[in-house]
Amino acid sequence: MWYLTVHRWTGEQQASIAAALADDTLATHLSWMREQQRAGKVLIAGPAKGFELGLIVFGHLPEDAVHELCRGEPLVAAGHRDYEVIAWDVHHLLGIGEFELKPGS
């Protein structure tokens, strides 16, 4: 199972970003992201258009481990963001996967 996590600012977006820059949390977040990607935990990540959301895809981890990682993510830990975890049963990726219905489906 993969997990798509959606990270939202807890306050007004521009004020939250300014606070995360001022207290160095944004730089710490980027270091944390690099560390998690190198460890193979984060597969894909980045902001949505306009930075209103952050999206992170975690691969093949137990759901409780995903919550633990998200709670430790610097922007969440500092209170600048909250998060939602969506369990994602990925069936298709880059043209690979089942594209035919199986009998009885």
Side-chain angles (χ1 to χ4, degrees), residues 8-102:
R8 293 178 177 84
W9 298 106
T10 56
E12 189 275 323
Q13 180 181 343
Q14 292 305 317
S16 295
I17 291 171
L21 286 168
D23 68 9
D24 212 30
T25 306
L26 196 51
T28 305
H29 160 78
L30 295 173
S31 295
W32 182 90
M33 288 298 301
R34 181 184 306 114
E35 189 178 304
Q36 300 314 313
Q37 286 189 346
R38 287 182 176 164
K41 297 174 183 174
V42 169
L43 302 179
I44 305 167
K49 184 178 178 183
F51 294 91
E52 64 270 6
L53 300 172
L55 303 169
I56 303 174
V57 176
F58 292 92
H60 298 293
L61 295 169
E63 187 169 355
D64 59 336
V66 173
H67 281 283
E68 184 177 335
L69 284 165
C70 286
R71 284 190 300 269
E73 187 278 315
L75 291 168
V76 172
H80 298 302
R81 282 194 163 174
D82 57 18
Y83 71 94
E84 173 185 2
V85 175
I86 301 166
W88 187 13
D89 190 9
V90 176
H91 288 198
H92 309 106
L93 178 65
L94 302 173
I96 300 168
E98 295 291 326
F99 294 94
E100 304 294 328
L101 287 176
K102 295 179 182 174

